[in-house]
Every structure is written in C-alpha cells, then in structure tokens.
Amino acid sequence: MLGDATVTRFGYGAMQLAGPGVMGPPTDRDGALAVLREAVDAGITHIDTSAAYGPDVTNELIREALHPYPDRVYIATKVGARRDAQGGWPTARRPEDLREQVHQNLRSLGVETLDLVNLRMGDAAGPQPGSLAAALETLADLQQDGLIRYLGVSNVTADQVAEARSIVAIVCVQNMYNLAHRHDDDLIDRLADDDIAYVPYFPLGGFTPLQSETLTRVATRVGAAPLPVALAWLLRRAPNILLIPGTSSAVHLRENIAGAGLSLSDEDVADLDGIAR
C-alpha cells in the first residue's frame, strides 16, 4: 500500500532510462518507451521517477509511453536535488526550490496532481543528520493546495523519519538497503507495524567480492541470476517492502519480474542472511 493506493510490491524504477550518468536522452529511445509499456503490460503499477533524471528525460518518456495514465498506475517522484552541468546532484531544498521542482514534475509528467512526492535528504554519500522540518512543511503546504496526494522521505536517518512523522503523514521511506547493507532493519520493522512502505534502492549496491560470491552461489542453486535472488530476498524480508529495480532492457525487466516469483528455501535465506554478518 502507498496511502490508500494498492500497488504491486514489484515496481519499476525509471532512472536508468536516461542517458549515461542519468544525463541526457537514452541511446535507444524506442527501446526505453517499449520497456515502460512492457512493465505496465506485465501488471506493474508502481513507477518511480524524478524530474532530476535527465533532467526531465525519464518523466517525458513516461508521459510519451503511458499518458493518459491508466487509473491503476501510480507514479512516485522525488524532489530535493538538482543536476549541475558536471552531472552532480547538488541539494535544492529551499522552499522556492521545492515548489519549482514540484511544478517541474507536474509539467513533465503531464498531470495536475502528483501521486507521491518523496523528499530526498542527505547527499550522494548517504543520509546526513539535520532537521527536515522546513522542507517537509513546504511540501505539506503544496499537498494542502492539492498538488500532491501523498508524501514520503528518502535518504534519511531514523531520527528524520520520526521527525517527518511528527509533521505530516508519510506513506513511505526510500533508503539504500540490501543483503549487504542492513542498517535499516529496525526501522523497516517499525514501519511495517504502522503500515508504512519501505522502498529500498541499490539492491546490489556495495557488495564485497566475498558477499557477491555467496549471492552467486545461492543464485546458481536456485537457477536464477543474482539480482532476481536479491529481489526475492527483499520481498521475503518484510511485508511492507516495495521494490523499484530499474533497467533499460526488456530482457532484464523480465528477469527481474521473474525474481518476484522465486521461492527461496530456509537454507537459501540463511545463506543470504549471512552476507551481512
């Protein structure tokens, strides 16, 4: 669930549809459009994007491929960072920055109301301590104006999640989390108790060679590629986890979708759990 919307636990992240470094147009525009259409045709109802991707590239591809959007399709976007000429991600969380980014997403997606806006905190190195109150209050005002249905937070600490929940209702937390990086275990369980979704990104990010070897061994045993196995583990980890793996390849999209249906044995799960130890 995202708010009162029921979405597939297996979603799709659009970031990789932009050009190299998430800048500029894709090399294969027709292929990118085809991947989006195949994702929706396969039953995926949760698509994650941002006007910062490209910038505007992934939003415009989504609009071209899917607009007018089926009622069941739920599009989440992010604000709080821009792109610079060097491909960096400088923060942009002043009230005027956030309002501009919300309107940028509205225009490029071709909608009057955004389904979900995640406030991205921290920086490229990860979550950073500090208050998110001023930024989130700006988004809450835009929500009251009818421009945003639901709010979430991304790249945040547990303390920032608690602060966010004291300000406004949030429906999801989007952080880096995977087999090798399980710093949010306690947070995931607390959010699950309150029916708040947790959306992990970088499902294979930051693995050591030894950790990758363990994942590959389990994947070989179950007859699948490593990424689908990592995705299957995430789905089993907690009922509130929603996945948004990204790809620009229809073949990889099908492999990832297959991962959602993988059945992992207790032995498989025990081996995978050991990766973080």
Side-chain angles (χ1 to χ4, degrees):
M1 295 288 291
L2 284 171
D4 63 359
T6 300
V7 299
T8 50
R9 292 189 67 199
F10 191 94
Y12 175 74
M15 185 173 72
Q16 293 186 30
L17 294 182
V22 201
M23 290 289 285
T27 303
D28 181 3
R29 184 179 183 85
D30 289 342
L33 296 171
V35 168
L36 285 163
R37 291 171 180 141
E38 181 159 344
V40 172
D41 288 345
I44 288 173
T45 61
H46 175 203
I47 297 175
D48 182 84
T49 185
S50 173
Y53 299 162
D56 286 326
V57 169
T58 62
N59 281 6
E60 290 171 356
L61 288 168
I62 290 168
R63 181 176 184 174
E64 182 175 346
L66 304 176
H67 196 278
Y69 305 112
D71 289 341
R72 62 191 176 88
V73 171
Y74 191 100
I75 299 175
T77 189
K78 283 176 289 299
V79 296
R82 295 192 184 279
R83 306 305 303 279
D84 60 27
Q86 292 72 43
W89 302 79
T91 59
R93 292 193 288 266
R94 296 176 304 170
E96 57 268 35
D97 295 328
L98 295 170
R99 293 188 187 98
E100 182 180 342
Q101 290 168 70
V102 165
H103 284 280
Q104 182 183 6
N105 277 284
L106 289 165
R107 289 192 301 270
S108 54
L109 286 169
V111 295
E112 294 182 356
T113 303
L114 298 169
D115 291 328
L116 167 63
V117 173
N118 285 305
L119 170 63
R120 181 172 174 81
M121 296 295 294
D123 55 28
Q128 303 297 329
S131 175
L132 49 62
L136 192 60
E137 287 166 0
T138 297
L139 295 180
D141 288 342
L142 294 170
Q143 183 182 42
Q144 289 296 313
D145 291 341
L147 301 181
I148 301 169
R149 289 194 179 90
Y150 294 108
L151 292 169
V153 289
S154 176
N155 204 32
V156 286
T157 66
D159 286 344
Q160 288 167 336
V161 172
E163 182 185 25
R165 296 185 65 187
S166 74
I167 296 169
V168 68
I170 63 169
V171 301
C172 71
V173 173
Q174 189 179 108
N175 275 359
M176 179 179 175
Y177 177 86
N178 58 38
L179 280 163
H181 296 272
R182 298 186 56 175
H183 48 279
D184 272 355
D185 271 338
D186 291 342
L187 176 61
I188 289 170
D189 293 336
R190 292 198 301 272
L191 294 174
D193 289 340
D194 292 331
D195 295 322
I196 295 174
Y198 185 93
V199 186
Y201 59 82
F202 292 151
L204 288 182
F207 278 55
T208 67
L210 183 60
Q211 291 167 333
S212 295
E213 181 181 326
T214 301
L215 176 58
T216 299
R217 183 175 68 250
V218 174
T220 300
R221 190 162 67 215
V222 303
L227 178 56
V229 171
L231 297 176
W233 178 87
L234 284 166
L235 286 174
R236 179 160 167 165
R237 166 63 185 83
N240 62 324
I241 285 182
L242 305 179
L243 303 182
I244 51 167
T247 179
S248 59
S249 161
V251 172
H252 290 160
L253 173 67
R254 295 181 202 117
E255 288 180 354
N256 293 345
I257 291 172
L262 282 178
S263 178
L264 299 176
S265 69
D266 291 342
E267 178 187 4
D268 298 330
V269 173
D271 284 350
L272 294 171
D273 283 343
I275 286 176
R277 299 191 186 109

